[in-house]
């Protein structure tokens, strides 16, 4: 019997591609070419499975062009690049990579918060530009992390990791907002109190966004929400582009309506709103919250394991949908 045909849509660790080759007939993308949706569809015409990253959109048009496709294994915990409804209707399994990136991403969220509140990149640019000629009492004076109020919007696994770091590591008072309230045990573990989004925005010194991107979470933070925040507050987005209205944020930063922002994700990335590139009080990173070597390897291995388990008849390890009837290759 011939092996299932798999497309690895972006470059990943070569040894993990080799591992896939032990089970499948693999077409890889070692040069990391960014295919158009049409080019991706053409490559998927004869494939049974695909390993995707967040940059490949899987929708009804693509599924119609890929009649053999049975599974899309995303190398990401977020899967807003999947039209899950269309996949389920077409009998296509989706999987993601939860858990393996939780602590790494929470570490980064906290690093971005610290860098933003303490103006680390802004002051580094000043130093590199040769502008540091003397010390002064208010030079790059920022805001404190310890003892301040941390507001976490989106209290899933990564949000809980941020809350734990804030409460246990830095003595922060933690408030959170989420679609559903956590159990009393989990609230106690995170030392976090549930509040309305409005109360959180009014009271938090630092707001961290960790919600999944959906139509309902689009522009969770826009001009109206920014207006509720303290003028001394910082805003951190490690969730997804589109959770924040980047144009409104650039205005709020320029006008000093909030003190600073730290952004790892952007609307329309890898493009960045031009106004965010010119305001000084923002720390910008290129979607690297999960980027440590062990974690990126764990993500790629979990995506590969999902493909191997699925085609081995053991079912997907970390499914995001449950198609009633699967496709047959
Ligand atoms: C990925 C992420 O690196 O897991 C996620 O949802 O945002 C990142 O960890 C990115 O989506 C590439 O797939």
């Amino acid at each position: 019997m011939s092996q299932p045909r798999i497309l690895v849509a972006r470059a990943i660790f070569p040894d993990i591609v080799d591992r896939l080759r032990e089970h499948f007939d693999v077409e890889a993308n070692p040069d990391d070419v960014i295919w158009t949706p049409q080019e991706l569809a053409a490559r998927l015409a004869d494939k049974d499975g695909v390993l995707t990253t967040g940059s490949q959109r899987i929708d009804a048009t693509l599924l119609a062009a890929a009649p053999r496709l049975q599974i899309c294994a995303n190398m990401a915990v977020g899967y807003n690049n999947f039209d899950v409804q269309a996949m389920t209707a077409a009998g296509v399994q989706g999987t993601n990579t939860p858990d393996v990136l939780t602590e790494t991403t929470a570490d980064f969220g906290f690093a971005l918060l610290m860098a933003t509140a303490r103006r680390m990149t802004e002051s580094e640019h000043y130093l590199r530009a040769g502008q540091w000629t003397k010390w002064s009492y208010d030079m790059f004076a920022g805001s404190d992390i310890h003892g301040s109020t941390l507001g976490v919007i989106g209290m899933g696994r990564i949000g809980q990791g941020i809350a734990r770091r804030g409460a246990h590591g830095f003595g922060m008072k933690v408030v959170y907002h989420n679609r559903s309230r956590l159990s009393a045990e989990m609230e106690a573990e995170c030392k976090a109190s549930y509040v309305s989004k409005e109360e959180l925005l009014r009271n938090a010194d630092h707001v961290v966004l960790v919600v999944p991107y959906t139509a309902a979470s689009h522009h969770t933070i826009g001009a109206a929400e920014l207006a509720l925040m303290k003028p001394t507050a910082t805003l951190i987005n490690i969730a997804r582009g589109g959770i924040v209205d980047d144009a409104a944020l650039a205005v709020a930063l320029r006008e000093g309506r909030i003190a600073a922002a730290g952004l790892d994700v952007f609307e329309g990335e890898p493009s960045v709103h031009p106004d965010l590139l010119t305001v000084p009080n923002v720390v910008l990173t290129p979607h690297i919250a999960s980027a440590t070597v062990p974690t990126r390897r764990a993500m790629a291995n979990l995506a590969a394991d999902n493909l191997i388990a699925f085609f081995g008849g053991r079912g997907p390890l970390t499914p995001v949908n449950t198609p009633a009837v699967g496709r047959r290759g």
Side-chain angles (χ1 to χ4, degrees):
M1 221 178 85
S2 64
Q3 289 178 316
R5 292 182 187 167
I6 299 292
L7 180 70
V8 180
R10 295 288 307 275
I12 61 167
F13 301 92
D15 62 304
I16 298 176
V17 176
D18 289 344
R19 195 158 80 79
L20 284 167
R21 289 193 199 283
E22 289 167 18
H23 302 265
F24 306 117
D25 178 357
V26 175
E27 178 181 344
N29 182 4
D31 296 329
D32 208 24
V33 178
I34 306 292
W35 294 318
T36 63
Q38 294 72 26
E39 288 167 338
L40 178 64
R43 284 186 162 78
L44 286 177
D46 64 348
K47 299 298 184 301
D48 302 296
V50 61
L51 191 153
T52 50
T53 67
S55 48
Q56 290 77 53
R57 176 97 190 125
I58 305 294
D59 58 16
T61 310
L62 182 123
L63 293 170
R68 294 173 55 109
L69 194 66
Q70 298 179 56
I71 177 170
C72 303
N74 220 26
M75 184 186 147
V77 65
Y79 51 91
N80 54 303
N81 55 314
F82 287 176
D83 180 339
V84 174
Q85 222 182 335
M87 287 168 63
T88 305
V92 174
Q93 181 67 60
T95 63
N96 68 341
T97 58
D99 300 320
V100 292
L101 49 59
T102 301
E103 299 303 328
T104 293
T105 305
D107 280 351
F108 185 86
F110 223 87
L112 191 54
L113 168 57
M114 301 282 283
T116 303
R118 298 303 306 273
R119 305 176 66 176
M120 290 180 78
T121 58
E122 198 186 345
S123 58
E124 185 185 347
H125 288 144
Y126 171 91
L127 181 152
R128 284 180 188 269
Q131 292 174 284
W132 186 30
T133 54
K134 64 178 174 56
W135 177 92
S136 65
Y137 76 98
D138 62 349
M139 189 169 72
F140 295 108
S143 54
D144 274 322
I145 298 292
H146 72 273
S148 65
T149 298
L150 171 65
V152 181
I153 299 185
M155 200 63 157
R157 290 164 283 222
I158 298 169
Q160 291 167 24
I162 303 266
R164 276 195 212 97
R165 282 161 176 75
H168 298 286
F170 292 84
M172 298 173 93
K173 175 183 172 191
V174 181
V175 292
Y176 78 95
H177 185 72
N178 198 44
R179 273 172 306 182
S180 53
R181 202 172 158 166
L182 299 185
S183 67
E185 295 74 42
M186 193 54 81
E187 284 189 355
E189 199 185 312
C190 297
K191 291 194 183 174
S193 314
Y194 181 82
V195 293
S196 68
K197 180 175 148 190
E198 184 169 304
E199 197 180 334
L200 183 150
L201 292 170
R202 284 189 199 285
N203 295 324
D205 297 304
H206 307 287
V207 176
V208 181
L209 302 169
V210 211
V211 281
Y213 183 81
T214 62
S217 66
H218 180 72
H219 286 185
T220 295
I221 301 292
E225 289 75 20
L226 290 161
L228 294 177
M229 291 174 66
K230 296 180 183 183
T232 50
T234 60
L235 177 72
I236 307 300
N237 186 8
I238 56 164
R240 272 291 178 274
I243 300 290
V244 174
D245 178 344
D246 285 350
L249 176 61
V251 172
L253 289 167
R254 195 177 298 286
E255 295 181 355
R257 284 194 241 140
I258 66 168
L263 307 173
D264 186 49
V265 287
F266 305 87
E267 288 189 286
E269 65 183 52
S271 297
V272 175
H273 193 291
D275 294 350
L276 287 174
L277 297 173
T278 56
V279 285
N281 46 343
V282 61
V283 178
L284 306 168
T285 52
H287 202 147
I288 55 167
S290 67
T292 65
V293 174
T295 291
R296 284 283 167 84
R297 287 191 61 82
M299 292 164 69
N301 271 316
L302 179 52
D305 287 341
N306 268 302
L307 292 166
I308 294 164
F310 177 84
F311 286 108
R314 299 188 297 284
L317 304 174
T318 47
V320 303
N321 65 343
T322 35
V325 185
R327 283 177 167 181
R328 292 280 166 270

